[in-house]
């Protein structure tokens, strides 16, 4: 049987990849994907812990996170479309109107 | 086929368990009714703001009248703490709804969506205020944040709103992911998601020196600091506040921040009280940074809106001082301060809406020039708000800051308080500059001032009255906060 450490290690690695992706990518969609990766790391963590702790709360939590992530993706893509309509790209480097 | 799976067993669900969530359910119903109304009776759109105000007021009274004993495993608590923060957030929603119609006329965008998205965000805030479980904290947070992302970007004809929405969305999602990873670690360590149970488990099993617990604390602190805009997690704040529609900026600088402080307090005081030695000094340092950046950068702003955005950052720093103290007194001071901030900040933004008349070019501080000559009453209101934001007696801002500094001093953070007082003095420069422009500079040509709509006048009167009343009798509010904190 695979021990909990491996699952947690994988989740931590996924989370770190998500953080790195979020901080280095300059495309709105890629940043959104990286954030989703972070959320999935959390899901993995919760499900694995829920299994080993024999408590269902973690799995219930995961369902909520998946649902919220779907809603978040919908809102995020809506914002991406609004951005694209104005400037024909979704690169965060082109965010130049607000600064100071 | 197993039919038992298809027929829901209604006896299995005890409806009485839903009663403590009644105010949230009522508000949710009102939101759905407004959606239907906006969709099917578009001719009656003028009713939407008033229905919003009415519905939210009913919920507010319902919420104040509800008090239930907390069950050990419940996810929402109807305690005084929840009632206090719900009242604060719902009050902010009412003021926003009152101001919105005027702003909508100025920018000529009468979207009915504004009101029900605002109501859904308010439901999220009420859940955050009452949440005593990691799951409800997360759900409340997202239910608050998702409608606000949409609200920020809703006015699509202006280019800067979509940029602001994108920035707000990305930082918000990132912050929730950090917070969630911290939550998952906590769950793994303790096997439960109930805040009190987690606190007891940590104390009973001697987990205090566990490194995973410290990582969880750090991640959750970072996530929460993003949400309440504490330096160094504040980068999004000025841009988002400037880019969002002004009426929404007013809302965002008060209500979501207060709701964020509600879960901040809950998490720190129920889960991590024993780790005070770890988070107290860190928060003290962050509070100093926040006050310094907020106040000093605000000095350099020429746009009134952006100046108020930086001032919002600085005020988050002041409010943090109560948490830094780590005592019930400190929390009381933070709660009272957020309540006072509601009135003074909403009022200041209300006047900005009147001055700017929906034009980006008129958001500059120069539009205050000669206001006393053009409209003495409006100038007087702005004077009260600016004095209060600076912290000059007899306004609410002074009383609030006094309690905050006192609680931090009592906890031994003398240096922090000295810096806070000095930075308050710095802030006087840019707040009182507005007063000077209003009273001592001639107006730039003859600019007609917008005639305030009735709802706007009501909102301004409430703001002025609140600011002055809480300045004269701050004990009322402070005692209420004290009662609210009693278990």
């Amino acid at each position: 049987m695979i021990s909990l450490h491996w699952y947690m290690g994988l989740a931590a690695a996924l989370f770190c990849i998500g953080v790195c992706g979020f901080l280095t990518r300059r495309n709105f969609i890629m940043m959104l994907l990286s954030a989703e990766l972070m959320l999935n790391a959390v899901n993995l963590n919760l499900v694995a812990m829920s299994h080993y702790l024999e408590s269902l709360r973690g799995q219930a939590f995961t369902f909520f996170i998946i649902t919220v992530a779907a809603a978040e993706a919908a809102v995020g893509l809506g914002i991406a479309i609004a951005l694209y309509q104005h400037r024909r790209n979704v690169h965060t480097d082109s965010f130049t109107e607000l600064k100071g | 086929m197993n039919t038992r799976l298809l027929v829901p067993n209604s006896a299995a669900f005890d409806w009485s368990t839903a009663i403590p969530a009644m105010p949230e359910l009522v508000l949710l119903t009102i939101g759905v009714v407004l959606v239907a109304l906006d969709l099917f009776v578009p001719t009656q759109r003028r009713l939407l703001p008033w229905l919003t105000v009415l519905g939210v007021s009913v919920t507010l009274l319902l919420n104040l009248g509800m008090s239930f004993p907390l069950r050990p495993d419940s996810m929402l608590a109807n305690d005084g703490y929840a009632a206090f923060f719900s009242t604060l957030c719902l009050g902010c929603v009412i003021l926003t709804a009152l101001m919105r119609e005027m702003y909508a006329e100025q920018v000529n965008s009468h979207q009915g969506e504004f009101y029900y998205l605002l109501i859904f965000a308010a439901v999220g805030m009420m859940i955050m205020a009452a949440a005593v479980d990691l799951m409800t904290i997360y759900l409340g947070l997202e239910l608050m944040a998702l409608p606000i992302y949409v609200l920020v970007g809703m006015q699509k004809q202006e280019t800067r709103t979509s940029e602001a929405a994108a920035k707000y969305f990305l930082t918000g999602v990132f912050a929730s992911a950090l917070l969630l990873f911290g939550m998952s670690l906590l769950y793994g360590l303790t096997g439960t998601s109930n805040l009190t149970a987690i606190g007891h488990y940590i104390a009973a099993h001697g987990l205090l020196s566990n490194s995973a617990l410290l990582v969880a604390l750090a991640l959750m602190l970072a996530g929460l600091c993003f949400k309440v805009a504490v330096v160094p997690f504040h980068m999004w704040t000025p841009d988002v506040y400037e880019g969002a529609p002004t009426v929404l900026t007013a809302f965002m600088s008060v209500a979501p921040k207060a709701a964020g402080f509600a879960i901040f307090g809950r998490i720190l005081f129920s889960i991590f009280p024993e780790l005070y030695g770890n988070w107290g000094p860190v928060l003290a340092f962050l509070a100093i940074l926040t006050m310094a950046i907020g106040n000093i950068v605000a000095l350099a702003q020429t746009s009134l809106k952006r100046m108020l955005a930086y001032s919002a950052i600085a005020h988050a720093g002041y409010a943090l001082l109560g948490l830094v103290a780590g005592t019930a007194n400190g929390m009381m001071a933070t709660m009272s301060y957020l309540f006072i901030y509601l009135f003074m900040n909403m009022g200041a933004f209300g006047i900005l809406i009147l001055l700017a008349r929906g034009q980006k070019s008129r958001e500059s501080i120069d539009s205050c020039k000669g206001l006393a000559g053009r409209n003495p009453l409006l100038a007087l209101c702005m004077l009260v708000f600016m004095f209060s934001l600076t912290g000059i007696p007899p306004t609410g801002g002074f009383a609030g800051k006094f309690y905050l500094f006192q609680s931090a001093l009592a906890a031994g953070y003398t240096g922090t308080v000295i810096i806070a007082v000095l930075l308050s003095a710095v802030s006087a420069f840019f707040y009182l500059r507005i007063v000077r422009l209003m009273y001592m500079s001639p107006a730039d040509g003859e600019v007609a001032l917008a005639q305030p709509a009735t709802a706007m006048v009501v909102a301004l009167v409430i703001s002025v009255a609140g600011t002055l009343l809480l300045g004269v009798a701050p004990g009322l509010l402070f005692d209420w906060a004290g009662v609210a904190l009693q278990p």
Side-chain angles (χ1 to χ4, degrees):
Chain A
M1 195 160 153
I2 307 170
S3 80
L4 181 59
H5 292 99
W6 290 99
Y7 288 107
M8 286 184 66
L10 176 61
L14 265 182
F15 189 78
C16 292
I17 294 173
V19 172
C20 292
F22 187 89
L23 295 177
T24 53
R25 292 293 183 143
R26 283 288 156 262
N27 184 312
F28 186 87
I29 308 285
M30 289 309 285
M31 290 172 84
L32 181 59
L33 281 179
S34 305
E36 296 291 325
L37 205 56
M38 290 162 74
L39 290 183
N40 281 326
V42 174
N43 288 339
L44 191 61
N45 230 352
L46 283 173
V47 171
M49 284 163 175
S50 169
H51 180 72
Y52 280 87
L53 292 166
E54 290 177 0
S55 108
L56 280 179
R57 278 178 180 253
Q59 296 184 31
F61 204 164
T62 308
F63 280 123
F64 285 123
I65 297 177
I66 292 173
T67 317
V68 169
E72 226 160 38
V75 170
L77 293 177
I79 292 173
I81 289 173
L83 270 179
Y84 185 78
Q85 280 172 346
H86 278 301
R87 56 192 83 206
R88 297 283 137 195
N89 70 54
V90 288
H91 284 283
T92 48
D93 289 335
S94 68
F95 287 7
T96 48
E97 262 180 72
L98 297 164
K99 54 183 169 191
Chain B
M1 192 176 189
N2 191 345
T3 47
R4 270 193 316 167
L5 284 178
L6 294 175
V7 183
N9 187 355
S10 61
F13 186 70
D14 180 8
W15 282 98
S16 69
T17 51
I19 291 177
M22 202 51 117
E24 284 88 350
L25 292 175
V26 168
L27 194 56
L28 201 62
T29 316
I30 293 167
V32 175
V33 168
L34 289 190
V35 174
L37 200 71
D38 184 44
L39 201 60
F40 298 117
V41 203
T43 47
Q44 297 299 317
R45 217 164 255 171
R46 298 231 150 245
L47 283 179
L48 286 178
W50 299 106
L51 286 176
T52 309
V53 171
L54 186 72
V56 175
S57 310
V58 169
T59 315
L60 194 118
L61 293 177
L62 201 61
N63 189 57
L64 282 177
M66 301 266 290
S67 181
F68 287 91
L70 183 62
R71 302 178 190 207
D73 206 31
S74 67
M75 294 198 160
L76 292 177
N78 286 89
D79 52 2
Y81 186 82
F84 188 96
F85 277 105
S86 298
T87 310
L88 171 48
C89 295
L90 293 178
C92 184
V93 171
I94 292 177
L95 288 180
T96 312
L98 287 173
M99 288 179 181
R100 151 78 184 178
E101 205 52 9
M102 175 104 206
Y103 184 74
E105 225 132 85
Q106 290 174 341
V107 297
N108 201 14
S109 124
H110 292 273
Q111 285 152 305
E113 291 92 336
F114 183 89
Y115 297 102
Y116 43 85
L117 286 173
L118 197 65
I119 284 187
F120 292 143
V123 176
M125 289 180 217
M126 289 177 75
I127 294 179
M128 280 166 86
V132 284
D133 191 287
L134 296 181
M135 271 186 241
T136 34
I137 287 182
Y138 174 66
L139 282 180
L141 193 64
E142 292 298 322
L143 183 54
M144 172 191 82
L146 286 174
I148 299 181
Y149 299 144
V150 180
L151 282 171
V152 173
M154 212 171 70
Q155 216 171 288
K156 283 198 293 185
Q157 64 272 33
E158 209 184 323
T159 47
R160 53 181 187 157
T161 60
S162 54
E163 186 177 321
K167 282 180 178 169
Y168 192 38
F169 175 79
L170 287 175
T171 45
V173 173
F174 187 68
S176 335
L178 289 181
L179 189 68
L180 266 181
F181 201 77
M183 285 181 175
S184 76
L185 288 180
L186 269 184
Y187 170 72
L189 282 171
T190 61
T192 175
S193 58
N194 185 290
L195 295 189
T196 336
I198 292 176
H200 287 320
Y201 189 96
I202 291 174
H205 290 75
L207 286 178
L208 291 179
S209 50
N210 189 317
S211 53
L213 187 71
L214 292 180
V215 173
L217 172 66
L219 284 170
M220 292 178 87
L221 274 186
L224 289 168
C225 285
F226 259 116
K227 290 287 175 189
V228 298
V230 165
V231 176
F233 308 103
H234 70 295
M235 316 76 72
W236 58 275
T237 324
D239 290 354
V240 173
Y241 284 10
E242 192 194 340
T246 312
V247 66
L248 195 70
T249 310
F251 172 74
M252 282 203 299
S253 62
V254 179
K257 202 176 270 184
F261 269 107
I263 55 171
F264 215 143
R266 249 319 174 205
I267 287 177
L268 288 182
F269 289 108
S270 344
I271 306 185
F272 300 115
E274 331 249 333
L275 282 178
Y276 176 67
N278 291 65
W279 57 259
V282 172
L283 284 188
F285 179 64
L286 293 184
I288 293 176
L289 271 185
T290 309
M291 290 181 287
I293 302 269
N295 282 324
I296 292 171
V297 182
L299 288 174
Q301 301 306 319
T302 50
S303 155
L304 184 55
K305 195 171 176 184
R306 208 171 169 86
M307 189 202 95
L308 284 174
Y310 276 105
S311 120
I313 296 178
H315 284 274
Y318 296 128
L320 204 57
L321 283 178
L323 288 180
V324 166
T327 54
N329 259 340
M331 195 63 216
M332 275 196 259
T334 297
M335 288 158 75
S336 316
Y337 193 70
L338 290 169
F339 215 107
I340 294 165
Y341 185 63
L342 159 71
F343 293 115
M344 55 192 188
N345 205 46
M346 292 303 282
F349 271 106
I351 294 189
L352 171 62
I353 291 173
L354 285 176
L355 287 175
R357 291 189 295 155
Q359 290 163 32
K360 187 177 162 189
S361 56
R362 295 184 47 83
E363 279 163 11
S364 133
I365 53 171
D366 289 336
S367 54
C368 295
K369 272 187 185 166
L371 184 64
R374 286 183 284 158
N375 191 334
L377 216 52
L378 213 55
L380 194 64
C381 290
M382 192 61 164
L383 176 84
V384 170
F385 300 136
M386 287 300 133
F387 273 17
S388 188
L389 285 168
T390 321
I392 296 174
T395 52
F398 169 74
K401 265 187 195 161
F402 180 77
Y403 284 129
L404 278 173
F405 292 169
Q406 194 190 31
S407 67
L409 264 184
Y413 286 96
T414 319
T416 312
V417 172
I418 292 175
I419 297 175
V421 172
L422 289 178
L423 287 168
S424 275
V426 171
S427 77
F429 180 79
F430 59 87
Y431 289 130
L432 298 186
R433 181 170 56 183
I434 303 288
V435 175
R436 190 184 51 120
L437 285 176
M438 285 191 310
Y439 282 91
M440 293 172 192
S441 301
D444 283 343
E446 202 49 51
V447 249
L449 206 61
Q451 195 58 41
T454 325
M456 185 61 143
V457 174
V458 174
L460 283 179
V461 167
I462 295 176
S463 305
V464 173
T467 311
L468 288 177
L469 179 72
L470 294 179
V472 178
L476 296 174
L477 184 65
F478 201 64
D479 289 344
W480 181 28
V483 173
L485 276 181
Q486 242 123 61

